[in-house]
Amino acid sequence: MRKTQQAKKRANSIFGTVPVALQTDDDATTTEENDDHESSTNTSSVGELYQEERVLPNGDYYTGQWYDSFPHGHGKYLWTDGCMYIGDWYNGKTMGKGKFGWPSGAMYEGEFKSGYMDGTGTYTGPSGDTYKGQWVMNLKHGHGIKSFANGDVYDGEWRRGLQEAQGKYRWRDGSYCIGEWKNGTISGKGTFVWSRDGNRYDGFWDDGFPNGNGTFKWDDGSFYVGHWSKDPEEMNGTYYPSGNEGTLDWDPKDVFDNLSEYKICSGERVPVLPSQKKLSVWNSSKRVEKPRRISVDGRVSVGLDRAFEKMNMWGSDSGEGAADIDSTTRRDLDAEIMRLEAEGLIQSLRPSPVPMRLPKAGKKQGETISKAQVVSLDLKHSAFDPKEKLWTRFPPEGAKYTPPHQSSEFKWKDYCPLVFRSLRKLFKVDPADYMLSICGNDALRELSSPGKSGSFFYLTNDDRYMIKTMKKSETKVLLRMLAAYYNHVRAFENTLVIRFYGLHCVKLTGTIQKKVRFVIMGNLFCSEYSIHRRFDLKGSSLGRTTDKPESEINSNTILKDLDLNFIFRLQKAWFQEFIRQVDKDCEFLEQERIMDYSLLVGIHFREASVAGELIPSGARTPIGEFEDETAPRLSRVDVDQLLSDPTRWASIRLGGNMPARAERTMRRSDCEFQLVGEPTGEYYEVVMIFGIIDILQDYDISKKLEHAYKSIQYDPTSISAVDPRLYSRRFRDFIFKVFSEDD
């Protein structure tokens, strides 16, 4: 009782004096007796928007509009730790415009989305820091102006909480830096102007210091042009005086010492994010549903008989006070619900699809095989010429640069070694780690082929790399397009195209002389989060469904287009970048006459019950851990901490560990080949991993014959083997229906 009285005083001091009806233990009986009366007023209405004002059992305080057991509309909420929110609500989440205050005095006023600071808003910190601009999921993202407490100001673009792209930073003494930014420091082309003497530097930067070609100019017109670097041995340039004053007693290193005094403020960190605040609201009812058969995409074979749910707004988890409903009351409630649905006041309460469950966990993929131990090779400079290759002989007894081994003698060939070494450097692959993964003492794991190519697939023990055996035709395609591939991945850092790290051939000597060609690729699903669903999406319908019975489907099963039962909603900034990158990648593949590629998608569901049932976002049911304890479970708090910690942003990129929402879909029973089902409004919080794979099939004579043959029997637009231009257009049309902006 003392705790709720303190909450009442806090609430009155912030919101003003308002009448609050406190309920004590002595009043419990009276309250239960008056349930029937209150149901006609405002405390237990079903599907009705009304005003509510309460001090909650844990001491929190709420006053405002209420709908179906959740804050909905406009309302004020005060937590016991002093945090406060005033603004719009939607189904228990801050959604729309509002104001969030912290006990430290910090304040955010602006737009919210699904509990996050998202949209346009202004944050004022307790020490005076102010940011006004765009937000995405609690992070400064887009254009914004940050005024620091020490007098510095940054006006420009932000990305995931740090300065990125074009921007201008002005220090309190008037000096400023304008140009390109990356990860919070000036990197790229930019200009620094000193206010005290008018001197300036124009040129290239890296990590906050001049690096590359640049010019230092004095206010009298003289200037110094040269190559700049922190390493004095790499510095060189020429001084050009404005008149005939001759040489200048000046060292370019003084510029670096001077710039060290100009620090970029890091700003304040928010200790508790709005999306981490929990409401003292829960659902005490238990849902009972008849068991039904369900297909892979969620279609049911029988009708539904769903029990009516009674929401206990403020009660205990035991559900006390929930009365039985007679047939007359049920008919009246059904009629009222139908009226509200027809008027569009509430969403449909008709029977929904059965709750989705996590697929049963599959065994770790692959069987251990033996492998030959090799060492790293001394690579020479080469070009993109397919004839540029390096052979190395591996005798069983060993040689000067090769170790002894227990296999028969073989030869090892590297194709275009310099190119692939450069690719590994471009993809930030550490050479030592790479060689340990591929050539270390740990054995490889063999996978069954997920496609029809007949290739063998192997995973390294650390799951980072995948090795695929290649046909000679595939090897020729990769070598033919290697220059274009290299230029593409170099130009587009966020490309979704699969990463190639090496192309090799092993030839056994002796009478057999068998050749085995293989390529080393990145394992798309190498992540700290377990993958619960896997989809291989092409945009075609013929044969695009799994051939496994439902009882054999597990988390390792590769599902296909007609098995897909989700639409994936990405945050606005991510979705726009996704569209741009898919367009660029498809244009590249189309120019190289490549077809039959697909988008491989992996889904990690963030919330599930102890029994393994998936929990839709917004559902207030007990949440348990996944049965698969080999991988961490990503909660909303985890996502908030991940997004607010700059050291962990590297794990989030386009196609990698991306937080998103998956909306469940259902296909019409009268449409056998409906690629994208109808949205149901049922959302799940997920983490997504995806990329474009199988990019080594060109439109050769065999594919042209396949297209001609199948076009006689089937709809030509439904088959996979089509012209690269048509394939690219169909692929993009389908992907842009499956992925959409989360509005």
Side-chain angles (χ1 to χ4, degrees), residues 660-681:
R661 291 201 305 163
E663 182 178 6
R664 190 179 180 184
T665 61
M666 295 191 68
R667 290 179 174 82
R668 298 193 305 269
S669 58
D670 59 343
C671 188
E672 182 179 0
F673 295 113
Q674 182 184 6
L675 276 176
V676 182
E678 305 295 332
T680 63

Side-chain angles (χ1 to χ4, degrees), residues 525-530 604 630-633 642 648 651 657 689:
F525 292 150
C526 180
S527 171
E528 62 265 39
Y529 303 110
S530 56
H604 171 90
T630 62
R633 173 178 173 271
L642 180 64
R648 302 182 65 187
S651 64
N657 293 344
I689 301 173

Side-chain angles (χ1 to χ4, degrees), residues 7-246:
K8 179 181 178 182
K9 292 179 181 178
R10 273 197 312 274
N12 291 339
S13 65
I14 296 177
F15 300 132
T17 304
V18 292
V20 179
L22 297 178
Q23 177 176 309
T24 63
D25 294 339
D26 297 335
D27 299 330
T29 305
T30 305
T31 301
E32 293 178 3
E33 293 174 353
N34 294 335
D35 276 349
D36 293 338
H37 171 70
E38 292 186 1
S39 64
S40 63
T41 57
N42 69 349
T43 59
S44 60
S45 302
V46 177
E48 188 174 320
L49 190 65
Y50 58 92
Q51 287 292 126
E52 182 59 56
E53 183 179 352
R54 283 295 178 94
V55 174
L56 309 185
N58 71 338
D60 292 354
Y61 173 85
Y62 177 80
T63 177
Q65 292 177 306
W66 200 262
Y67 173 80
D68 195 20
S69 299
F70 303 119
H72 189 90
H74 191 82
K76 309 174 184 179
Y77 196 104
L78 175 67
W79 285 268
T80 55
D81 63 359
C83 291
M84 173 191 66
Y85 174 78
I86 306 174
D88 298 331
W89 298 80
Y90 184 84
N91 285 345
K93 291 183 179 180
T94 55
M95 182 83 75
K97 293 185 177 181
K99 182 186 296 184
F100 191 96
W102 286 264
S104 63
M107 181 70 68
Y108 170 83
E109 183 172 3
E111 295 176 329
F112 289 81
K113 184 184 294 184
S114 299
Y116 293 96
M117 298 182 290
D118 198 302
T120 302
T122 301
Y123 173 83
T124 304
S127 64
D129 281 10
T130 302
Y131 172 81
K132 183 177 182 180
Q134 298 294 317
W135 300 75
V136 172
M137 295 182 71
N138 294 332
L139 294 175
K140 296 181 280 289
H141 195 95
H143 184 267
I145 301 175
K146 178 67 178 287
S147 300
F148 298 90
N150 68 347
D152 294 355
V153 177
Y154 173 81
D155 183 353
E157 298 298 317
W158 299 75
R159 182 178 178 84
R160 293 180 291 188
L162 288 177
Q163 295 93 330
E164 187 89 8
Q166 292 293 325
K168 179 179 180 179
Y169 192 102
R170 181 181 293 274
W171 282 265
R172 58 182 175 181
D173 67 352
S175 301
Y176 65 89
C177 183
I178 183 170
E180 299 173 353
W181 294 72
K182 186 175 183 180
N183 293 332
T185 61
I186 183 166
S187 295
K189 193 173 183 179
T191 299
F192 192 102
V193 179
W194 284 263
S195 61
R196 59 176 177 264
D197 49 23
N199 297 342
R200 60 186 293 156
Y201 169 82
D202 298 279
F204 289 90
W205 299 71
D206 182 42
D207 196 23
F209 290 95
N211 188 77
N213 295 329
T215 302
F216 187 90
K217 298 180 181 179
W218 284 265
D219 58 351
D220 62 0
S222 56
F223 58 94
Y224 172 90
V225 179
H227 181 86
W228 298 72
S229 174
K230 284 186 177 181
D231 187 353
E233 296 182 358
E234 297 181 1
M235 289 276 292
N236 61 80
T238 304
Y239 171 70
Y240 296 90
S242 59
N244 298 320
E245 59 268 25

Side-chain angles (χ1 to χ4, degrees), residues 360-604:
K360 59 185 179 182
K363 296 181 179 179
K364 193 171 185 180
Q365 290 182 286
E367 298 178 359
T368 301
I369 64 167
S370 60
K371 65 182 290 294
Q373 293 184 357
V374 297
V375 296
S376 62
L377 307 176
D378 294 328
L379 304 178
K380 299 186 300 183
H381 290 284
S382 65
F384 294 98
D385 187 351
K387 297 180 181 179
E388 189 65 36
K389 58 193 70 171
L390 180 65
W391 281 99
T392 304
R393 177 173 164 267
F394 282 77
E397 66 276 9
K400 184 176 181 180
Y401 297 109
T402 62
H405 57 85
Q406 298 179 355
S407 303
S408 59
E409 181 174 331
F410 65 91
K411 289 184 177 180
W412 175 286
K413 177 165 64 173
D414 282 308
Y415 293 92
C416 299
L418 176 62
V419 176
F420 285 103
R421 185 172 66 178
S422 300
L423 284 173
R424 292 192 292 270
K425 183 178 180 180
L426 186 65
F427 295 142
K428 298 178 175 60
V429 174
D430 182 82
D433 292 342
Y434 178 76
M435 294 308 300
L436 285 175
S437 296
I438 304 299
C439 306
N441 293 326
D442 295 323
L444 301 176
R445 302 199 312 275
E446 183 177 358
L447 306 178
S448 60
S449 173
K452 301 178 182 179
S453 64
S455 299
F456 293 95
F457 291 82
Y458 305 92
L459 275 178
T460 58
N461 191 62
D462 57 7
D463 288 335
R464 296 176 62 183
Y465 306 104
M466 180 175 290
I467 301 174
K468 174 190 175 184
T469 59
M470 302 263 287
K471 295 184 294 185
K472 187 175 182 180
S473 59
E474 292 178 313
T475 304
K476 288 183 177 180
V477 171
L478 179 54
L479 291 173
R480 172 182 61 80
M481 62 181 289
L482 187 57
Y485 174 84
Y486 181 82
N487 293 331
H488 181 77
V489 298
R490 188 176 183 183
F492 300 102
E493 182 181 2
N494 290 328
T495 179
L496 298 175
V497 173
I498 191 69
R499 296 182 172 184
F500 293 123
Y501 297 118
L503 180 61
H504 310 281
C505 176
V506 172
K507 180 180 178 181
L508 299 178
T509 60
T511 57
I512 301 178
Q513 293 193 352
K514 182 179 179 181
K515 285 185 179 181
V516 179
R517 301 174 182 87
F518 58 93
V519 64
I520 300 176
M521 309 176 292
N523 178 19
L524 194 64
F525 292 150
C526 180
S527 171
E528 62 265 39
Y529 303 110
S530 56
I531 305 300
H532 301 128
R533 290 281 192 194
R534 303 165 192 251
F535 293 97
D536 183 272
L537 307 177
K538 291 186 176 182
S540 57
S541 57
L542 183 62
R544 298 299 295 164
T545 184
T546 182
D547 54 0
K548 287 187 176 181
E550 184 179 348
S551 59
E552 297 181 9
I553 293 177
N554 56 40
S555 59
N556 293 329
T557 304
I558 304 293
L559 305 175
K560 300 181 182 179
D561 300 65
L562 294 179
D563 303 314
L564 181 66
N565 55 341
F566 293 105
I567 293 176
F568 305 112
R569 312 286 188 184
L570 304 181
Q571 287 286 335
K572 180 178 180 180
W574 283 119
F575 179 68
Q576 292 175 347
E577 188 171 350
F578 173 76
I579 290 179
R580 288 194 296 267
Q581 194 57 56
V582 169
D583 283 336
K584 293 296 183 182
D585 290 342
C586 287
E587 289 171 3
F588 156 68
L589 295 173
E590 181 181 334
Q591 291 172 0
E592 296 302 312
R593 302 292 293 169
I594 301 297
M595 42 78 67
D596 214 20
Y597 47 88
S598 58
L599 186 73
L600 187 61
V601 179
I603 307 175
H604 171 90

